Amino acid sequence: MARPVTLMTAQWGDMDFETLCKTAKEMGYDGLEIMCCSHINPERAAKDMEYCNSLKATMDRYGLKTWALAAHIVGQCVGDRWDPRLDNFAPAELAGKPEEIRNWAVKTMKYVPQAAKNMGVDVVTGFMGSPIWAYWYSFPQTTEEMVDQGFREIVDLWTPIFDEFDKYGVRFALEVHPTEIAFDYYTADRLLEEFDYRETLGFNFDPSHLLWQGVNPTIFLRDFIDSVYHVHMKDAAVTLDGRAGILGSFITFGDTRRGWNFRSLGHGDVDFEEIIRELNQYGYEGPLSVEWEDSGMERIFGATEACDFVRKVDFAASDVAFDKAIAND
């Protein structure tokens, strides 16, 4: 049976929930990966079952389901060192107040697993932030102690949050992503080790962020498959031309001068067939969630085409060896 194709709703935050559901259905999706704070209020969803039922009823009207909530912007505020950009994620009255923003984020993240349970899902995707992302280049000189302290801080901040996740039987799937404490292969491996391989914490596999860094998404998926709790379908294209660098040059996403860009599915360099083969080999039956990001393409056209692309590439594993018919049994 084909895996469900869902739409990650973060990039559709300008639509109210009813309009979003109607649009997603018209584009061909089976369901939504619902973004916290944009399309679901975590605190209200944790405390008010009628509110959750109203959201589910709206989805039902359009034949949609949900398999995951997304808590990227809240989670980012938990682990990050404050700068003015975080003011865009937190309530307006907290702008410029680093300690209050973090307190809000921690409190809100503790509501998220109960909200997820009330919505009938057991996976939350998201970010964790990083107190040491600014050190990624290691100059001015970054000591090992600084890095160690950054990982310890993340463990200290997120352990009480994960205790709440355990209470409600919900898992957290970190999207391995630049600006996160785990942004590539080796930092992902270290993060699992730092949390003593706690089953609460796994990954939301998104090949696009790995590809442009030069990490092979298929190898990452194969090696971390036991910790992959959710899958994003997202593409990227690397177009280094001798002028543009891989760091982006402070050029806005979508500008063709950039050394890489996110692209609508099938228009970039990610080898999705190999990803599907790995998912088939290890029996992943969860959703394939389209996180549609392509500043060079009209989004309704792009997200509709992306849904069709996922359905075409999501072939089932064979239930028989191809040479079985000629075997001498």
Side-chain angles (χ1 to χ4, degrees), residues 136-260:
W136 70 268
Y137 187 68
S138 300
F139 185 85
Q141 291 88 336
T142 302
T143 66
E144 291 185 12
E145 289 76 12
M146 290 176 178
V147 176
D148 292 344
Q149 176 57 35
F151 275 92
R152 284 196 299 269
E153 185 173 341
I154 287 293
V155 171
D156 290 343
L157 285 167
W158 280 88
T159 292
I161 296 171
F162 289 158
D163 290 343
E164 292 297 306
F165 273 71
D166 287 344
K167 185 186 301 183
Y168 295 101
V170 176
R171 298 174 296 173
F172 183 80
L174 170 68
E175 185 169 334
V176 176
H177 181 292
T179 77
E180 303 313 305
I181 189 68
F183 58 89
D184 61 8
Y185 186 103
Y186 289 109
T187 52
D189 190 50
R190 176 167 181 174
L191 183 66
L192 295 181
E193 181 180 1
E194 293 283 349
F195 276 93
D196 196 25
Y197 302 97
R198 183 173 182 168
E199 290 186 8
T200 319
L201 172 63
F203 298 129
N204 173 45
F205 172 73
D206 186 324
S208 66
H209 306 298
L210 300 169
L211 180 92
W212 71 261
Q213 294 184 75
V215 178
N216 185 308
T218 307
I219 292 174
F220 184 99
L221 180 59
R222 183 181 303 156
D223 289 357
F224 290 105
I225 191 64
D226 289 340
S227 298
V228 170
Y229 298 157
H230 191 265
V231 171
H232 269 184
M233 299 292 275
K234 185 175 168 188
D235 212 341
V238 178
T239 51
L240 300 175
D241 61 3
R243 296 186 185 90
I246 203 67
L247 302 185
S249 307
F250 289 120
I251 299 175
T252 304
F253 283 123
D255 192 309
T256 58
R257 294 174 298 164
R258 281 178 57 93
W260 68 274

Side-chain angles (χ1 to χ4, degrees), residues 21-67:
C21 288
K22 180 176 183 293
T23 302
K25 184 63 175 179
E26 291 172 346
M27 292 190 296
Y29 288 90
D30 299 314
L32 304 174
E33 178 191 349
I34 307 174
M35 188 69 177
C36 291
C37 300
S38 296
H39 293 114
I40 186 171
N41 181 313
E43 181 175 358
R44 185 177 176 189
K47 297 178 178 180
D48 185 352
M49 198 65 199
E50 288 187 11
Y51 169 66
C52 294
N53 288 338
S54 71
L55 293 175
K56 288 187 278 189
T58 301
M59 288 190 289
D60 285 344
R61 284 198 294 275
Y62 297 97
L64 301 174
K65 296 181 180 180
T66 184
W67 285 264

Side-chain angles (χ1 to χ4, degrees), residues 272-283:
F272 287 101
E273 177 176 333
E274 290 303 311
I275 288 170
I276 294 298
R277 289 181 182 273
E278 290 295 330
L279 294 176
N280 284 345
Q281 178 162 315
Y282 293 99

Side-chain angles (χ1 to χ4, degrees), residues 114-136:
Q114 186 173 1
K117 182 180 180 180
N118 288 348
M119 288 297 294
V121 303
D122 62 3
V123 172
V124 172
T125 64
F127 291 154
M128 299 175 73
S130 173
I132 54 173
W133 172 248
Y135 303 165
W136 70 268

